[in-house]
Amino acid sequence: LINNQHSLSPNFSPQTERLNDSSGSNSGGESSKESSRCSTPVLDADRSDRLRDKMRRRMESGDRWFSLEFFPPRTASGAVNLISRFDRMGSGGPLFIDITWHPAGDPGSDKETSSMMIASTAVNYCGLESILHLTCCNQTKEKITDYLTKAKRLGLKNIMALRGDPLGEDWEEEEEGFNYAVDLVKHIRSEFDDYFDICVAGYPTGHPEAESYEDDLRHLKEKVDAGADFVITQLFFRADTFLKFLEDCRAIGITCPILPGIFPIQGYQSLRQLVKLSKLEVPEDITKVIEPIKDNDAAIRNYGIQQAVEMCRVLLESGKVPGLHFYTLNREVATMEVLRQLGLWIEDPRRPLPWAVSAHPKRKVEDVRPIFWASRPKSYIYRTQDWDEFPNGRWGNSSSPAFGELNDYYLFYLKSKSSKDALLQMWGEELMSEESVNEIFTCYITAQPNRRGHKVLCLPWNDEPLASETNLLKDELEKVNRRGVLTINSQPNINGKPSTDPIVGWGPAGGYVFQKAYLEFFTSSENVTALLKVLKKYEPRVNYHIVNVHGRNLTNAPDMQPNAVTWGIFPGREIVQPTVVDPVSFMSWKDEAFALWIEQWAKLYEDESPSRMIIKYIHDNYFLVNLVDNDFPLENCLWQVIDDMFELLDVPPELLNDGAVSE
Amino acid sequence: LINNQHSLSPNFSPQTERLNDSSGSNSGGESSKESSRCSTPVLDADRSDRLRDKMRRRMESGDRWFSLEFFPPRTASGAVNLISRFDRMGSGGPLFIDITWHPAGDPGSDKETSSMMIASTAVNYCGLESILHLTCCNQTKEKITDYLTKAKRLGLKNIMALRGDPLGEDWEEEEEGFNYAVDLVKHIRSEFDDYFDICVAGYPTGHPEAESYEDDLRHLKEKVDAGADFVITQLFFRADTFLKFLEDCRAIGITCPILPGIFPIQGYQSLRQLVKLSKLEVPEDITKVIEPIKDNDAAIRNYGIQQAVEMCRVLLESGKVPGLHFYTLNREVATMEVLRQLGLWIEDPRRPLPWAVSAHPKRKVEDVRPIFWASRPKSYIYRTQDWDEFPNGRWGNSSSPAFGELNDYYLFYLKSKSSKDALLQMWGEELMSEESVNEIFTCYITAQPNRRGHKVLCLPWNDEPLASETNLLKDELEKVNRRGVLTINSQPNINGKPSTDPIVGWGPAGGYVFQKAYLEFFTSSENVTALLKVLKKYEPRVNYHIVNVHGRNLTNAPDMQPNAVTWGIFPGREIVQPTVVDPVSFMSWKDEAFALWIEQWAKLYEDESPSRMIIKYIHDNYFLVNLVDNDFPLENCLWQVIDDMFELLDVPPELLNDGAVSE
């Protein structure tokens, strides 16, 4: 269809020639690759390419990358922590991450700790290009096919094909079964054609069970010839080891990318354990250093970091290594430090869109979302996961398929990182009145400790501290929250700032971004009554939606018509409008927003307890309000709207303030 | 699909209530009606409503309208003139026009003078809501169904159902045939259900062949009961005549709109002729005035205007007349003057989009077009007439179905309004060199007479004098055309002017419009060589496409990716971007743009004549260039680009200037 993704127009390419002398330029070279792949203007090619194409383009541009390996967590809370680690380490700009396969841990199941679920979450909810490991020995073809089918359904596009360790000592080759990784590679290609990008393992010192180093090289060649796209190596301790291996691979005709596996030594135990598993020998000069300090974790880690940095420098300077693969052991510090010292860690990532995109293939053209889920993007992705098409270019009228219900507020990728106790400390062990709720909101805004001395780092609607953009509105937000205008989402108006602006910028360089001022809050029906009177003065400058938990939506907005509140203008592209205020979606959002009062807050307290009653009262009686100031070039008038509302309430502000401070 | 038109979301309406106290407001009331009908943000309801809905909303808002009746032309050149009259009179804002049906003139044929073709052109190419008359007597049901099917296919949505005058005196009712208009109304409803809006004729003094006034009223009632949506009356000479008729209609239960047919007396002969046809009597007080001045056309027209204005005032002041229907006799002056005096003529029409929209139902969501056809909208509509879908919200990558070939440059709705002689006078009976061509372009820009003293009012690429917007660039344009940069399309950069701006404004009030500077021109390959060197300095600020007649397209634009060059931000709406520079369409446009050199200009001269050779040389050797300055907030840099090009050419400007002035 006109506005959706399109293949190349056959009758165009032949007509068009690229100027040799301009194709080198950024605007030429880069984006030409880009536009031929994705339909939506702002998207960088990275979003729509498959992994092997990303690698190819990075190699062409000489732009080195890194990747990160994680293993699945053992516990549910471990899963929650790992997902937020993905978010943090993802911001450093890895080209991909990979998740190991643990046959013992039911790796293909729907358990939140399974390899399959973790990889799926990384792709769908963290927007990370991910590789799922898969081991084949002792597995039937049917089982493997089931795993691959499920992986494909979940949006996974890359498989690391491994043999895996035989279970038990008395393992023998099976006639029909999978005996080597090459059998798995062949199976994937025969069953799924070219759908998956396939990675295989290389052993710089030869696989421990191989008859010889040369024999092992031949096995690697077989795996690549069978259809593997690139190689990641086992860890090693000397750059020379890898460089020789690389040379030998090229010598026998292995031409695909070969990525060195880097293992920053992080501790004495982990090193010994890994060496045992991988049957590797630690060079004497390393053991000589480590043994004396084996009980000093900090010292060992510092040494590991230095050792890894030096080795990586040699590898990169060889000019033969396009990217580095890190065995993180699910830890952040050492790997991040190594990457920082190598200058590979992206400190200030450019955002292709104002919100974090999902890496699921079917979402690759998505570039419009309602603003309501700005602080709960994972919930938005969850509630729209069944959509077959995603808005591209325009949201459209009542165009969204129905949103999925959000019944389980405890899905591990949605769960708060804070424990119940921590939440009680932040939000109050005991609430005395609505004013104590105002105070919690105010403390969250100001980042000041509450009366019990605990900082309020999150709210049910915001699992993170205030965004730097929202900080621009801090003073005004504090003022209104103190008085019972409980804000949960807002953005300032922006009249054409550079797309590279560190705070509000997004999209390709050389563009301009714009915003309409937006404010969303819960407030009492008394306030709403006054607000509605006030809003008449602001017609048609201000659009509003006002709804309570029962779903009575008062609005002056053109029915069914979305209001674009964020947009960007870029060189050589169509307009992009990534966030809208959409009346239809708002009704789905309000169900979630109101439910969070109960699910996340009220349920912290005993049944029938005053605290729970207070939250319940707010849930039952407050309204959810959103306001848009359409005059983005003028000064934001929404604060004036709220001030006018307070005036109309005709209550001396001091009194209200006291109310908010004393209980 | 997401970005295209959608029906109301069933699960939304019930959830949403309009605030009683806000629904009266413009932003509420107006647009709520609007958005529930059309998917594309900027469109006024008028664009997507059917005629009877437009009438209803006008009556609700108390907003009076007028409509215009024309008859099909007798000659081909008459057709050309009538179409440009449609464009002129359409700008005054008629709610609809109607085209009479002339059984003698092969009214349903594809001849450019047929009623069917004229009505189709009014709808498709002039964007006018149109009613096609249709008479049924002496016609078979099959024939009538053919006509209606063809009308529907052409995009016509409204039929004026008439009996028509029996051919020959010995007419008798046929058992199975159509004897009265009511038969035709029934037939339309039975064959086409509710597709057409149907209008029928009313006779304020009774139909001449009716047995009685009351009997005729009953016939009208039958026609309305059979499914007619509104009534237009025969002309009359006194307001009372109509008001009594209206009262009598209401009395017998005719509730639909009844529009008075107004006939401004424009001349003695035309009055007598019409009176004869309609078997009406001219009141004595009118004949008393006219007879003495029968030979003074001006005097009679002035009287006619006064008489019509007075009568219309009475009708409007009665509060019972929502709109006035004018029998124009295909003339402009009298009707426009009456409408001006009544204050119904729109002097400064608001543009829903920067370009004139088509009224064909399948185009009602269209809101994006390539900028190239800005001066040839009818050609664009012709070349896209076979598309099933039209861009809405975003153009997309290589999204356009193939453009139709433009082989016939003499389609009456595309033909220049100027005669061959006039064109020769404007563009030169004899061309001596490329410089004389530069001069013609320069004279067109400056509106100065050429060396032979003739003003250049049009060019093959612009059938109208310079647009007021382009006038903003006049001085710069003159300078570059003088030196062989032959501009055919351009727009200044606009950084957020009010959508109500008289020159560059468009769309609903309360919004802001933006533009990127655009310049399109023909120029020599020498210039292009220099230009390409210069453009490297302007990467990536300036995007360009450079192509010659053979289709070699040099560009630094992200391949296949359109560049939005006009967009608007409006209260409570998504972004609208009505014009783009699209690489794919540009290749179709260049075929047309180059062909116009030959078809419209070269062919004015003898074969082998020097003049024709010069144009042929330009056609064969020049390049078509378009430039976009992406930095719309900064000062337009495109003039600097051209200046840099001239400098690089390293030829003393004086010399070039002389060249341009002397032959």
Side-chain angles (χ1 to χ4, degrees), chain A residues 32-72:
Chain A
S32 73
K33 297 199 194 73
E34 165 178 346
S35 59
S36 60
R37 284 197 187 72
C38 69
S39 82
T40 144
V42 79
L43 297 186
D44 51 323
D46 270 14
R47 186 163 162 194
S48 51
D49 281 352
R50 48 192 306 171
L51 182 50
R52 61 189 180 203
D53 296 325
K54 294 179 186 177
M55 289 185 180
R56 184 180 40 69
R57 286 191 303 100
R58 290 285 196 107
M59 288 185 286
E60 284 167 6
S61 63
D63 192 3
R64 267 76 170 271
W65 72 79
F66 68 93
S67 51
L68 307 170
E69 179 164 310
F70 300 90
F71 54 77

Side-chain angles (χ1 to χ4, degrees), chain B residues 59 202-206 213 217 220 230-233 236 238-260 314-323:
Chain B
M59 289 184 287
Y203 300 87
T205 54
Y213 174 79
L217 275 182
L220 181 58
F230 56 98
V231 176
I232 293 178
T233 76
F236 51 87
R238 300 186 189 290
D240 303 350
T241 314
F242 176 83
L243 292 173
K244 173 178 185 309
F245 172 72
L246 183 63
E247 207 167 286
D248 298 334
C249 290
R250 299 304 184 214
I252 63 168
I254 299 174
T255 58
C256 67
I258 299 176
L259 310 178
V314 178
L315 292 171
L316 294 174
E317 282 157 12
S318 75
K320 298 169 184 167
V321 176

Side-chain angles (χ1 to χ4, degrees), chain A residues 369-425:
Chain A
R369 286 184 187 177
I371 194 172
F372 315 121
W373 282 268
S375 304
R376 292 176 58 81
K378 293 185 172 70
S379 165
Y380 180 78
I381 289 164
Y382 172 77
R383 298 188 64 178
T384 58
Q385 63 187 346
D386 296 332
W387 293 7
D388 301 322
E389 281 166 332
F390 291 86
N392 168 233
R394 179 172 288 178
W395 181 265
N397 284 345
S398 57
S399 61
S400 50
F403 284 80
E405 287 303 316
L406 181 57
N407 298 323
D408 181 355
Y409 289 79
Y410 300 97
L411 296 161
F412 70 103
Y413 42 78
L414 299 182
K415 212 188 289 182
S416 168
K417 292 189 286 289
S418 315
S419 67
K420 179 180 177 182
D421 292 348
L423 293 177
L424 277 169
Q425 288 182 333

Side-chain angles (χ1 to χ4, degrees), chain A residues 434-435 438 483-485 521-535 546 548 554 617-618 620-625 641-642 644-651 656:
Chain A
E434 296 170 63
E435 280 67 29
N438 302 352
R483 300 182 59 178
V485 170
F521 55 87
F522 291 99
T523 202
S524 69
S525 53
E526 296 68 30
N527 289 353
V528 163
T529 312
L531 181 61
L532 284 168
K533 291 204 187 71
V534 167
L535 282 167
I546 303 178
N548 66 11
L554 310 176
Y617 174 84
I618 292 177
D620 296 344
N621 296 280
Y622 275 34
F623 281 76
L624 180 59
V625 179
V641 170
I642 305 295
D644 293 359
M645 176 189 83
F646 286 138
E647 271 183 28
L648 203 63
L649 286 167
D650 200 26
V651 181
L656 276 171

